[in-house]
Amino acid sequence: MKNIVLIGMPGAGKSTIGIVLAKRVGFKFVDSDLVIQEKEGKLLHEIISEVGNDGFIEVENRINASLDCNESVIATGGSVIYGEDAMRHLKEIGTVIYLKLSYEEINKRLANLKDRGVVLKENQTLKDLYNERTVLYERYTDITFECDGKSIEQIVTDLSDLLTTLQN
């Protein structure tokens, strides 16, 4: 297996699940948001403040499209699905898994969207964002994994079992 790429809404647990899953399957862990911050020398919300949503999406697309890793669990930013180059590249280098949560669960988990560096259009609500992105996550995913009502440990166990089955 090449890489495992986690996509999903902010607050879906991509980074947390990614770290534990990487340990479980013996892969490295890559957080693409941290790669962006490192390459740009700024926090995500600072990049968004400076170049706007569209500029941030261009930066995110460029950096994710150039990720070069193997046997890694890659946790992407929630807006990665706006970048066609990035998604094409990620699908080429790995299996894309959509960590799906209901809107209600996402709403419970998220506090301050701006501080998280979430790409929101002016006057866009979390519900609007959820509806817009869900279609894109489903378009790009290889595997949709339902996470509602499951603990991190249960998700990681189920995912590692699923990946083992796919390898055999």
Side-chain angles (χ1 to χ4, degrees), residues 104-166:
E104 293 72 26
E105 191 63 34
I106 292 290
N107 193 34
K108 272 191 253 174
R109 292 182 183 198
L110 291 180
N112 190 331
L113 296 177
K114 294 278 187 230
D115 287 348
R116 282 189 72 118
V118 174
V119 175
L120 268 178
K121 297 174 190 141
E122 195 170 335
N123 299 321
Q124 188 176 36
T125 66
L126 180 59
K127 181 70 169 161
D128 295 336
L129 185 71
Y130 182 86
N131 291 336
E132 177 181 290
R133 288 188 181 180
T134 298
V135 175
L136 295 170
Y137 295 133
E138 290 171 356
R139 175 187 304 160
Y140 288 114
T141 192
D142 295 312
I143 299 168
T144 298
F145 190 84
E146 297 282 344
C147 297
D148 274 7
K150 296 180 182 170
S151 67
I152 298 295
E153 191 57 38
Q154 186 62 56
I155 292 167
V156 169
T157 298
D158 292 352
L159 275 176
S160 61
D161 290 349
L162 176 64
L163 293 167
T164 301
T165 303
L166 291 175

Side-chain angles (χ1 to χ4, degrees), residues 1 3 9 18 20 23 38 42-43 53 68 75 77 102-103 114 120 122 124 133 138 148 153 156 159 165:
M1 181 172 307
N3 296 295
M9 284 293 289
V20 181
K23 287 179 185 176
E38 183 181 317
K42 298 177 182 102
L43 299 174
N53 289 342
D68 182 21
S102 65
Y103 168 74
K114 294 278 187 230
L120 268 178
E122 195 170 335
Q124 188 176 36
R133 288 188 181 180
E138 290 171 356
D148 274 7
E153 191 57 38
V156 169
L159 275 176
T165 303

